[in-house]
Amino acid sequence: NNDPSINMVELGGGAVIAGCGQTRLGKLGETAGTLVKEALDEALADAGLQRESLRGLISMPALGSNASNAMDFMPAHKIATDLGLLTRPGGQDFICRTVDCGGASPVVALREACTLLREEKLGCVAVVGGDVVGSMQTNDFLSRLGNNSGSPAIPSKYDDFARWHMDTFGTTREELASVPVFMSMQAAKNPDAMSKGQVTLTGVLNSGKIASATNLYECAKRADGAAALIVTSRGFAEDRGMLHHCVPILGVGEASAAYMPDKSQIGVHSLPISLAAHRALEKSKTSLDQIDWFGLYDCFPVAFVSALEQVGLCGYGEGGKWVKGACEALSRGEKVGVNTHGGLLGAGAPW
């Protein structure tokens, strides 16, 4: 929050983010493991720490992994082994965790880091994630997503949700197609984004059809890339004089929903964002109007529209109108504090 009277460090609980690292995004021709190591070393350097400081590592599966780079099976253990963290003297005290909650995995992993710091007294934990889906052949990528009546499962299910939203609230096709337009406008200000030019509404609607209410430009931009966070206890940061540049973790909320629900099961809470957001706000003792920036999941337009509604940035059924209004605001040179990096649809999606 920009309020100078608020000391963010003092608001923090037992965990802080001490460092972050990120690779470039695109078709990089590297393995997921190599990219994760690059991001982790950058995060450690940002925190002013060495690998030896780490006592735990949390990761998530990589969709684009293969037999020679088995990031899809126990990736946290594999990364820690490759880095020598489990084979060093005393390595048996190092704790690895793999989190697999789809697109929510990075935030769930952050929550797991807080748990390890609190319950296991580890002091310093890395949260890492990376993938190489940008370099995958399209057919290979779609086969990894699973199958739903002859169609790729994930785009098909989100399309079912989009149809439900349109039928229930009157959301228009043009409103959904405005989401990648909005993301491209935000991405234009991000030098690391994959999207280099503004996407037009006509361009989105004329892009290749993926499903009944989903076109190619409405699918997250597949990318190779990785990111890492160094999460420490408050005491660890204080002892090393790091606390002044750390970011406190005020609260994390989580909620789960059915895996690949049938059409009859689709509804407002198919993506239970409202419950997760409520829990995070409650834990952090924060209200919505105190938050200046929102990062909302946007793998497909309906996911973003639903997130806007469930978080409370607009009413239910008004997410599409919010997006069109946000595009108009950006066109006027105004700032919109949502997905300022360009999201998965603009910046890129290593999943």
Side-chain angles (χ1 to χ4, degrees):
N1 192 286
N2 291 326
D3 187 341
S5 68
I6 297 176
N7 185 329
M8 292 298 288
V9 172
E10 292 303 321
L11 281 176
V16 298
I17 297 174
C20 62
Q22 178 182 315
T23 69
R24 61 206 185 282
L25 299 175
K27 292 186 177 182
L28 306 179
E30 302 282 358
T31 66
T34 297
L35 294 173
V36 164
K37 292 173 191 173
E38 178 185 333
L40 176 59
D41 285 343
E42 183 177 313
L44 286 166
D46 186 42
L49 298 172
Q50 302 296 317
R51 288 181 184 175
E52 291 72 25
S53 300
L54 294 174
R55 297 287 310 284
L57 185 142
I58 304 166
S59 188
M60 52 217 75
L63 192 67
S65 61
N66 53 48
S68 63
N69 178 40
M71 282 279 289
D72 55 349
F73 180 68
M74 297 179 69
H77 288 75
K78 184 178 190 308
I79 294 167
T81 299
D82 290 347
L83 294 174
L85 298 172
L86 288 174
T87 55
R88 68 188 182 186
Q92 64 273 15
D93 291 332
F94 195 91
I95 295 179
C96 298
R97 293 278 170 83
T98 293
V99 171
D100 189 358
C101 296
S105 295
V107 177
V108 177
L110 189 63
R111 177 181 181 174
E112 188 63 24
C114 297
T115 300
L116 289 179
L117 293 174
R118 182 180 66 251
E119 297 185 359
E120 304 296 339
K121 315 298 182 187
L122 296 188
C124 183
V125 174
V127 174
V128 301
D131 215 329
V132 289
V133 293
S135 293
M136 293 179 72
Q137 294 295 318
T138 299
N139 288 338
D140 292 339
F141 173 73
L142 293 176
S143 69
R144 292 297 298 271
L145 298 182
N147 188 281
N148 177 49
S149 301
S151 300
I154 293 178
S156 175
K157 286 301 178 181
Y158 275 102
D159 192 73
D160 289 344
F161 188 29
R163 280 293 176 190
W164 173 87
H165 205 280
M166 295 168 72
D167 293 342
T168 303
F169 297 116
T171 303
T172 68
R173 188 70 189 84
E174 288 73 20
E175 287 172 343
L176 290 175
S178 295
V179 175
V181 175
F182 169 74
M183 296 303 168
S184 72
M185 296 174 78
Q186 295 285 52
K189 298 171 284 186
N190 176 5
D192 297 323
M194 291 181 66
S195 181
K196 298 304 181 184
Q198 183 178 332
V199 174
T200 66
L201 184 62
T202 300
V204 175
L205 293 173
N206 288 340
S207 62
K209 186 169 284 295
I210 301 299
S212 65
T214 305
N215 287 5
L216 181 61
Y217 288 1
E218 295 171 292
C219 302
K221 289 185 178 298
R222 287 192 287 138
D224 302 345
L229 295 174
I230 305 301
V231 185
T232 78
S233 67
R234 184 187 176 96
F236 181 99
E238 283 180 326
D239 291 345
R240 289 158 180 79
M242 300 161 47
L243 194 59
H244 64 285
H245 72 249
C246 292
V247 177
I249 300 171
L250 304 185
V252 182
E254 184 180 354
S256 299
Y259 176 77
M260 301 292 180
D262 295 329
K263 289 183 179 180
S264 62
Q265 299 170 322
I266 290 176
V268 171
H269 300 299
S270 295
L271 303 174
I273 299 165
S274 60
L275 181 55
H278 172 77
R279 289 170 173 168
L281 290 169
E282 187 174 52
K283 290 176 183 177
S284 63
K285 298 180 175 60
T286 304
S287 61
L288 205 63
D289 60 3
Q290 291 178 291
I291 299 175
D292 299 310
W293 181 87
F294 294 82
L296 302 180
Y297 197 57
D298 67 312
C299 55
F300 295 94
V302 70
F304 182 70
V305 166
S306 182
L308 289 168
E309 296 168 353
Q310 293 198 53
V311 167
L313 293 179
C314 62
Y316 284 98
E318 297 175 359
K321 295 179 178 61
W322 185 99
V323 175
K324 295 196 76 171
C327 289
E328 293 169 1
L330 291 176
S331 296
R332 295 191 297 268
E334 300 173 16
K335 293 182 179 180
V336 180
V338 180
N339 287 26
T340 50
H341 61 309
L344 304 178
L345 290 165
W351 293 99

